[in-house]
Amino acid sequence: MNLNNKKQDRLVNTYKNRQDRFENLWKKQKQNLNRVSWLRLFAFIVFVVSVYSGIKSGAVFWYLVAFFLLITFLWMVKKSAKIIEKKDHFKALTDLNQAELLALEGDYSAFEDGKEFLKREHPFLWDLDLFGQQSVFQFINRSFTHRGKNDLASFLSDLLHDGESIRERQAAVQDLSERLEWRQHFQAMAMNLKQDPANEKSLLEWLGNPSPGMVPVTFRILAFTLPLISLTLFFLSLPGWISWQIPVYFMLLPLFLVASFLKRTQRFSLKMTSALKMLKNQCGLMRHIEKESLQAPLLLKIQENLFDQAGSASEKTLKLGKILDAFDSRNNIFVGVILNAFLLWDIHCLLRFEKWKRKNGVQAGIWLETLGYFDAISSLGTMLFNHPDYSFPVVNKKPSWEFVSVGHPLIPAETRVDNDLKIEKDGRILIVTGPNMAGKSTFLRALGVNLVFAMAGAPVCARQMGFFPNRLFTSMRTTDSLQKNESYFYSELKRLQVLF
C-alpha cells in the first residue's frame, strides 16, 4: 500500500508550484505597498506645501490643490490597507504550502498538536497518541480557528456510531478533498485572523443575553429629539435669524447626556469591541463558504446556515462592521465631541448594536458553528488529498471487521509494515503474541487509530476496510504511581472501571 512514487512526486510538485506562485504574488504586493507608501508621503508633503502657499498668498488655487491632494492621500491610505490585506494573504498561502511540503516529509511541527485536548482517563485518547507532539491530531490538523480545532478534536474523541452519519461525512470529506484552491484560501484567511477564545466567550454571552437594551427609554427618545432641535438651531443661526450662541449653549445638553452615560458606553466598548471585531473579521470566511458551489449533501445543509430570507451572514456581518467603524470614530476626541454634540453619536451607536443583536443574535452563534465545522472538515479533506492511497471504509450492517493492508498513518509508507486482519462476527477474542520489538503494540495502535478515523468519517490508512461501528476502548499504558499510592494492579482495576 506504499505511496506510488508518481503520486508522491505529483503532490510535491503541486505544493512547490503553489508555493512559488504565491511567493511571487506576495513579493509583488510588497513592491506595490512600497510604491503607494512613497506616493502617499509625496502627496502629504505637497499637501502641506499647498496649504502653506494658500495661507501665504491667499490664492484659491492652492486650496483647491490641497483639497485634491487630501482626497488623494485618503484614497491611498485605503488602497494601502487593501494591499496589506492581499500581501498578508499571499504570505499565509506561501507559508501554508511550505508547511505542506514539510508534512509530506514527515515534519508536522508547523501545525498545532492539540495537547490541550488530551485526557488520560478517556477510553482511548491516551493509548492511541491522538493528541500531543507528533500525534494523530498534528498529522491531520489544518484548522486555524479556535472553534475549528475544537471541532476537529471532537471528531476524534466523540465518534460517530450511525452508519448514515458516517457516510454523509465521508462524502463531505471527498468533496472538499477535490477543492484544493478553495481549502487553501479558506485556511490562509483563518491563519491571518487574530483570535482570542475570551472574545468568543464574551460575544456568545452578549448574543445570548435576553436582558433589555442598554439604553433606557428616556435616552432613546432624547437621542432622536435633541439632534433634531440642535440641527434646527444651527441652521437658523447661519443666516443670522438667531444668535450663534443659542445652538452652542444648547449643544451642551447633548454632551451632558452623553457624559452621564459614558460609564456604560466605556464598559461596553472595553468588553465588546474586540469581540465584535472578531466576528466582523470572519466576514471573509463566511463569504468564501457562501460563494462555493458545493456538492456533498452535508456541506450544502451546513452552508444553508449562512442564509435566510433577510440575506447572507456575510452581508449582515458587514453591516456590523459599519456600526463598529462608526462607533470607533468616537475615539478621535475632536470628531467624538462634534458628533455627540449634534447627534448623540454614542447613544445612536449603542441603539444600532442592540438592533443588530435583536435581528441576528441567535443566528450569529450558528454562523460561528458553521465556520468551525468547515475549518475542521477541511483538515480531513487535506488529509485525503495528501494521501491518495488512503480509502474510505465500508460500514457493515452486522458486527464484522476486515482490514486489508492496514498500517499506522504516522509511520512513513516506505518503512511501514502493513497487515491484514479479519473478525467475522461479534464476541471473538484475538490474542496477539510475539517477541519484544516485533510490532505488536504498533499493530494494535494501527487498528485503533484507523477505527477512530473510520468512525470520524475520515479516510483510513488501509487498502480496504470494512467495520461495524462500536464502542472503542484501549488499555496499553497503565502504570503504577507512588505519588497516588496506586499499584499497577490497582491502576488496571481503575482502567477497567472506565470500561464498565
Side-chain angles (χ1 to χ4, degrees), residues 117-119 122-131 156-157:
F117 303 114
L118 184 58
K119 301 174 184 175
H122 190 275
F124 54 82
L125 296 184
W126 176 251
D127 289 327
L128 298 182
D129 300 314
L130 291 186
F131 299 105
L156 299 179
S157 57

Side-chain angles (χ1 to χ4, degrees), residues 258 261-270 327 330 346-347 350:
V258 169
F261 208 72
L262 187 61
K263 190 173 182 180
R264 292 192 215 182
T265 307
Q266 287 295 98
R267 192 187 308 126
F268 176 83
S269 178
L270 290 172
F327 189 60
R330 64 190 290 278
D346 286 5
I347 308 298
L350 293 178

Side-chain angles (χ1 to χ4, degrees), residues 269-316:
S269 178
L270 290 172
K271 183 178 181 180
M272 293 305 306
T273 299
S274 296
L276 291 170
K277 282 182 178 177
M278 179 210 73
L279 181 60
K280 166 197 167 185
N281 292 338
Q282 300 196 47
C283 178
L285 290 175
M286 296 177 191
R287 189 183 299 114
H288 195 63
I289 296 172
E290 291 165 358
K291 293 193 304 183
E292 188 67 7
S293 298
L294 301 166
Q295 300 296 324
L298 179 60
L299 296 180
L300 289 171
K301 181 180 177 181
I302 296 174
Q303 186 187 45
E304 289 176 0
N305 292 334
L306 300 179
F307 295 94
D308 64 12
Q309 294 178 347
S312 67
S314 61
E315 292 170 348
K316 296 172 183 176

Side-chain angles (χ1 to χ4, degrees), residues 228-472:
L228 183 62
I229 297 173
S230 295
L231 291 172
T232 301
L233 294 174
F234 174 75
F235 284 114
L236 288 174
S237 69
L238 290 178
W241 293 346
I242 62 172
S243 171
W244 61 268
Q245 294 176 325
I246 295 176
V248 170
Y249 287 131
F250 183 83
M251 282 188 284
L252 294 176
L253 177 58
L255 290 175
F256 173 77
L257 290 173
V258 169
S260 68
F261 208 72
L262 187 61
K263 190 173 182 180
R264 292 192 215 182
T265 307
Q266 287 295 98
R267 192 187 308 126
F268 176 83
S269 178
L270 290 172
K271 183 178 181 180
M272 293 305 306
T273 299
S274 296
L276 291 170
K277 282 182 178 177
M278 179 210 73
L279 181 60
K280 166 197 167 185
N281 292 338
Q282 300 196 47
C283 178
L285 290 175
M286 296 177 191
R287 189 183 299 114
H288 195 63
I289 296 172
E290 291 165 358
K291 293 193 304 183
E292 188 67 7
S293 298
L294 301 166
Q295 300 296 324
L298 179 60
L299 296 180
L300 289 171
K301 181 180 177 181
I302 296 174
Q303 186 187 45
E304 289 176 0
N305 292 334
L306 300 179
F307 295 94
D308 64 12
Q309 294 178 347
S312 67
S314 61
E315 292 170 348
K316 296 172 183 176
T317 309
L318 195 60
K319 290 179 181 177
L320 174 65
K322 291 179 180 179
I323 302 173
L324 277 167
D325 292 339
F327 189 60
D328 283 345
S329 63
R330 64 190 290 278
N331 294 329
N332 183 308
I333 296 178
F334 176 76
V335 175
V337 169
I338 297 297
L339 290 174
N340 278 305
F342 277 100
L343 304 170
L344 279 86
W345 193 254
D346 286 5
I347 308 298
H348 276 284
C349 286
L350 293 178
L351 289 172
R352 291 174 69 188
F353 280 126
E354 288 181 3
K355 183 179 179 181
W356 190 93
K357 175 186 171 182
R358 283 196 304 272
K359 286 185 174 181
N360 308 297
V362 176
Q363 292 174 303
I366 298 174
W367 300 340
L368 292 175
E369 291 176 3
T370 300
L371 293 180
Y373 190 88
F374 269 94
D375 193 25
I377 204 164
S378 291
S379 292
L380 301 185
T382 301
M383 173 189 173
L384 179 58
F385 180 83
N386 286 350
H387 300 88
D389 60 333
Y390 284 16
S391 63
F392 282 112
V394 176
V395 183
N396 296 333
K397 294 182 179 180
K398 295 182 179 181
S400 63
W401 296 263
E402 309 92 30
F403 301 85
V404 179
S405 294
V406 64
H408 199 294
L410 297 184
I411 301 176
E414 57 272 15
T415 58
R416 185 175 64 225
V417 177
D418 300 331
N419 293 278
D420 299 343
L421 177 69
K422 190 170 185 179
I423 303 176
E424 296 180 328
K425 60 181 180 178
D426 201 5
R428 295 286 301 277
I429 296 176
L430 300 182
I431 299 176
V432 181
T433 63
N436 291 336
M437 303 291 291
K440 301 184 298 297
S441 298
T442 301
F443 173 61
L444 292 174
R445 287 194 175 93
L447 295 177
V449 168
N450 281 288
L451 280 170
V452 169
F453 283 169
M455 288 186 280
V460 295
C461 182
R463 188 188 306 159
Q464 293 178 15
M465 177 175 163
F467 75 104
F468 181 78
N470 62 309
R471 183 185 175 195
L472 186 60

Side-chain angles (χ1 to χ4, degrees), residues 32-43:
N32 290 341
L33 183 61
N34 288 334
R35 280 195 290 267
V36 172
S37 298
W38 282 109
L39 287 172
R40 192 172 63 188
L41 178 61
F42 176 75

